[in-house]
């Protein structure tokens, strides 16, 4: 029996955080043995917000090296750069014709980004979810691993797939969201009721995978806690509870073990320990990423091979779509 297909993509347009690492990349490493996985570097999505071209190219390679350093195995999955597979854009154009303007205007991300980038409300920003639907549907995807905040995009992809299938006949598999395990969500160090984000304007709010040990420890020392000094997991202690979750994830200790370890100790000791645990866990990943970035030929080869594999699958799906909608393809 064939493995189910899983698709996921991350933009190279911002520094990835430990939230991305815990919530997405580390899960992918586990899932790549269970599913037929496609992992894309979504650089086409990135340009909906203005980018510095040279920086976008650099970050694309950095993300590829990071995936590999974290344990993504190009022999087990398809790792590629989105813009190297032209069928993404071609399918998005066709899917635009079965997507309604009202649906796009209601998308949370469109509203948020329109507010943040009021001087650049472009059509790509509104059309972003259609391209994301094309990303997913091109590979006849069964499962899309997402957090709750991204579930809306999978729902649009489902709606578009069902609408297309109803209009033109069975063409796409209807994907399902594979929701991450509860408790793996990492919150902002400065506003612990918000998720840690790579696009947060406050650099002290997020721990980036590229941060060195001193930076990591400094950011944790500045993390928001409360006026008490007890290291205890509780709903009213959001800042401390977030730090306990992070320490628990990176040391593989239970919340109860963490509370016992720091019983009678103050926040100063605790924050330092969290910083050291995270820095120690990231050190081998950072070293391997640096080694890979020094070997451009290898990286280029991995991405070219991934793009070739992705292209073959994408071409099959797009050919089917073109036949269904009546595009002439030669007799």
């Amino acid at each position: 029996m064939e493995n189910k297909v899983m698709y996921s993509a991350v933009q190279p347009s911002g520094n990835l955080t430990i939230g991305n690492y815990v919530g997405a990349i580390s899960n992918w490493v586990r899932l790549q043995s269970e599913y037929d996985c496609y992992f894309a570097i979504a650089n086409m999505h990135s340009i909906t917000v203005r980018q510095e071209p040279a920086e976008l190219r650099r970050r694309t390679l950095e993300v590829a090296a990071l995936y590999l350093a974290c344990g993504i195995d190009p022999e087990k999955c398809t790792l590629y750069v989105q813009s190297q597979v032209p069928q993404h854009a071609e399918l998005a154009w066709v899917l635009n014709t079965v997507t309604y303007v009202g649906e796009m205007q209601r998308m949370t991300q469109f509203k948020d980004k329109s507010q943040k980038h009021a001087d650049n409300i472009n059509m790509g920003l509104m059309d972003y979810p259609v391209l994301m639907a094309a990303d997913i549907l091109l590979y006849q995807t069964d499962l899309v691993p997402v957090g709750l905040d991204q579930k809306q995009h999978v729902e649009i992809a489902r709606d578009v797939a069902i609408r297309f299938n109803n209009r033109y006949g069975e063409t796409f598999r209807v994907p399902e969201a594979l929701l991450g395990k509860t408790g793996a969500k990492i919150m902002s160090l400065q506003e612990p009721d918000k998720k840690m984000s790579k696009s947060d304007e406050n650099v002290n709010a997020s721990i980036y995978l590229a941060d060195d040990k001193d930076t990591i420890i400094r950011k944790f020392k500045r993390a928001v806690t409360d006026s008490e000094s007890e290291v205890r997991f509780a709903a009213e202690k959001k800042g401390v509870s977030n730090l306990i979750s992070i320490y628990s994830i990176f040391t593989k200790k239970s919340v109860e073990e963490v509370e016992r370890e720091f019983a009678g100790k103050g926040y100063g000791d605790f924050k330092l320990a969290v910083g050291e645990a995270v820095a120690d866990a990231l050190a081998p990943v950072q070293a391997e990423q640096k080694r890979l970035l020094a070997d451009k030929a290898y990286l280029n080869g991995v991405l070219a091979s991934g793009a070739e594999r992705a292209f073959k699958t994408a071409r099959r799906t797009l050919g089917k779509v073109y036949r269904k909608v009546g595009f002439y393809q030669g007799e």
Side-chain angles (χ1 to χ4, degrees):
M1 200 175 82
E2 278 186 8
N3 280 346
K4 285 191 170 182
V5 175
M6 193 183 92
Y7 181 91
S8 196
V10 167
Q11 284 191 51
S13 53
N15 287 315
L16 295 179
T17 70
I18 55 169
N20 298 121
Y21 176 69
V22 167
I25 304 171
S26 60
N27 285 332
W28 296 354
V29 173
R30 180 174 52 83
L31 295 169
Q32 67 184 344
S33 300
E34 298 172 28
Y35 300 106
D36 184 3
C37 292
Y38 289 83
F39 297 129
I41 299 165
N43 58 342
M44 291 169 73
H45 287 287
S46 295
I47 62 167
T48 57
V49 173
R50 287 190 192 112
Q51 301 290 334
E52 180 56 51
E55 197 172 306
L56 181 59
R57 274 190 292 273
R58 177 179 60 77
R59 280 186 165 161
T60 299
L61 272 183
E62 283 176 358
V63 170
L66 185 65
Y67 279 5
L68 297 169
C70 288
I72 295 294
D73 183 348
E75 298 297 317
K76 289 183 179 176
C77 64
T78 303
L79 172 62
Y80 71 101
V81 178
Q82 182 189 28
S83 63
Q84 292 190 305
V85 182
Q87 288 88 352
H88 285 260
E90 293 176 67
L91 180 58
W93 177 252
V94 176
L95 297 183
N96 275 326
T97 64
V98 291
T99 308
Y100 303 124
V101 173
E103 290 176 306
M104 297 299 92
Q105 289 171 330
R106 285 194 297 273
M107 294 298 286
T108 310
Q109 199 161 28
F110 174 66
K111 291 177 187 171
D112 291 351
K113 286 198 172 180
S114 298
Q115 285 176 340
K116 274 186 189 171
H117 306 278
D119 60 333
N120 185 26
I121 304 175
N122 58 72
M123 283 309 297
L125 203 57
M126 183 187 273
D127 210 30
Y128 186 104
V130 182
L131 178 57
M132 196 178 278
D135 298 340
I136 295 165
L137 300 180
L138 259 183
Y139 300 98
Q140 301 296 349
T141 299
D142 296 290
L143 297 164
V144 186
V146 286
L148 276 174
D149 55 331
Q150 285 285 324
K151 194 166 180 270
Q152 195 182 25
H153 286 109
V154 182
E155 284 164 4
I156 281 285
R158 287 175 58 82
D159 291 345
V160 167
I162 291 166
R163 200 174 294 149
F164 190 96
N165 289 349
N166 287 342
R167 189 176 295 181
Y168 295 106
E170 209 57 37
T171 309
F172 297 117
R173 281 189 204 166
V174 179
E176 289 182 20
L178 179 66
L179 292 173
K181 291 177 183 168
T182 352
K185 190 189 269 192
I186 291 181
M187 311 307 279
S188 159
L189 299 185
Q190 295 299 311
E191 295 174 80
D193 51 348
K194 273 173 47 181
K195 197 175 84 161
M196 186 178 285
S197 166
K198 61 181 181 173
S199 54
D200 200 310
E201 285 168 17
N202 182 348
V203 291
N204 290 311
S206 304
I207 302 292
Y208 301 117
L209 297 184
D211 284 345
D212 61 30
K213 186 168 188 171
D214 290 348
T215 305
I216 291 170
I217 287 170
R218 186 176 70 249
K219 285 182 181 180
F220 275 114
K221 281 181 177 173
R222 291 176 180 172
V224 168
T225 45
D226 53 56
S227 53
E228 295 179 19
S229 60
E230 190 185 3
V231 178
R232 178 171 57 87
F233 195 94
E236 70 277 7
K237 291 166 73 72
K238 287 182 179 173
V240 175
S241 297
N242 184 38
L243 296 181
I244 291 173
S245 290
I246 294 170
Y247 189 70
S248 163
I249 288 162
F250 281 90
T251 59
K252 296 185 170 54
K253 293 177 182 177
S254 69
V255 167
E256 294 74 20
E257 285 173 320
V258 177
E259 288 177 334
R260 281 199 299 274
E261 185 180 342
F262 292 95
K265 292 179 183 172
Y267 289 160
D269 288 344
F270 178 52
K271 286 179 177 182
L272 179 63
V274 180
E276 286 181 337
V278 171
D280 289 349
L282 294 186
V285 173
Q286 291 171 342
E288 178 63 1
Q289 183 194 28
K290 190 177 176 183
R291 186 190 72 77
L292 288 164
L293 283 169
D295 191 350
K296 290 283 194 310
Y298 172 73
L299 275 183
N300 289 335
V302 165
L303 293 175
S305 166
E308 197 178 320
R309 284 210 299 275
F311 180 88
K312 283 176 184 167
T313 306
R315 186 177 55 189
R316 270 201 308 275
T317 299
L318 192 73
K320 192 176 179 183
V321 168
Y322 276 12
R323 280 195 303 280
K324 296 276 187 173
V325 299
F327 284 174
Y328 175 76
Q329 297 178 81
E331 297 303 326

